[in-house]
């Protein structure tokens, strides 16, 4: 048995398991039994519908209408997709799914569900910032000290 395990690159326990299946069921015992592991809670169609939700604008997002006005489909809806908003919308569509499962589905598919935030300053004089910046005790960039090697190198 050690020679077989070495040849196949598996453990002796695995070889024993397969030998017992062969002895018990013959060649049919070497086929994949299937049905191993936990079954998926949602179907592929439901997964696709969740992914398609992200491609749609959220119901609370303001969109420019043909007349030039800004209007949302549902003013009470979320303006941005969040995991909670996506899970809630999926449940409204009859898909029983939780927030963490939505996250796993989107990560597995490489789908982004949030827009990247940009941090800019406005030149508009009417623009009001969010307040003063960091306090002086926490500088934005760490100050570099001159090492003793660089100060002593001139000697």
């Amino acid at each position: 048995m050690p020679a077989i395990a070495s040849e196949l690159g598996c453990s002796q326990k695995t070889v024993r398991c397969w030998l017992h299946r062969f002895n018990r069921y013959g060649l049919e015992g070497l086929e994949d039994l299937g049905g191993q592991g936990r079954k998926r809670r949602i179907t592929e169609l439901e997964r696709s519908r969740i992914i398609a939700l992200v491609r749609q604008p959220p119901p609370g997002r303001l969109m420019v209408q043909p007349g030039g006005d800004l209007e949302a489909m549902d003013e009470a809806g979320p303006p941005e997709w969040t995991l909670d908003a996506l899970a809630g919308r999926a449940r409204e569509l009859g898909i029983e799914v939780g927030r963490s499962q939505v996250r796993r589905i989107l990560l597995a598919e490489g789908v982004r569900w949030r827009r990247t935030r940009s941090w800019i300053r406005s030149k508009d004089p009417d623009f009001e910032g969010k307040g003063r910046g960091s306090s002086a005790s926490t500088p934005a960039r760490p100050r570099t000290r001159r090492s003793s090697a660089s100060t002593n190198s001139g000697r």
Side-chain angles (χ1 to χ4, degrees), residues 48-136:
S48 297
R49 290 176 69 193
I50 290 169
I51 294 166
L53 276 176
V54 180
R55 305 279 187 233
Q56 299 172 2
R61 179 177 290 164
L62 293 174
M63 305 289 284
V64 178
Q65 302 303 314
D69 294 335
L70 287 175
E71 203 171 297
M73 289 188 309
D74 177 12
E75 290 184 22
E80 295 289 329
W81 283 127
T82 63
L83 293 174
D84 289 326
L86 286 165
R89 181 67 181 127
R91 285 190 294 273
E92 289 172 11
L93 295 172
I95 304 170
E96 288 303 315
V97 66
R99 177 185 199 277
S100 61
Q101 191 171 13
V102 169
R103 181 179 181 277
R104 283 191 302 271
I105 290 168
L106 297 179
L107 285 174
E109 296 294 325
V111 176
R112 293 184 54 87
W113 64 91
R114 295 176 289 206
R115 289 192 309 184
T116 305
R117 292 183 181 183
S118 62
W119 299 95
I120 60 170
R121 298 179 192 263
S122 176
K123 294 181 182 178
D124 183 358
D126 295 330
F127 176 77
E128 191 171 315
K130 293 184 178 183
R132 56 186 254 270
S134 299
S135 71

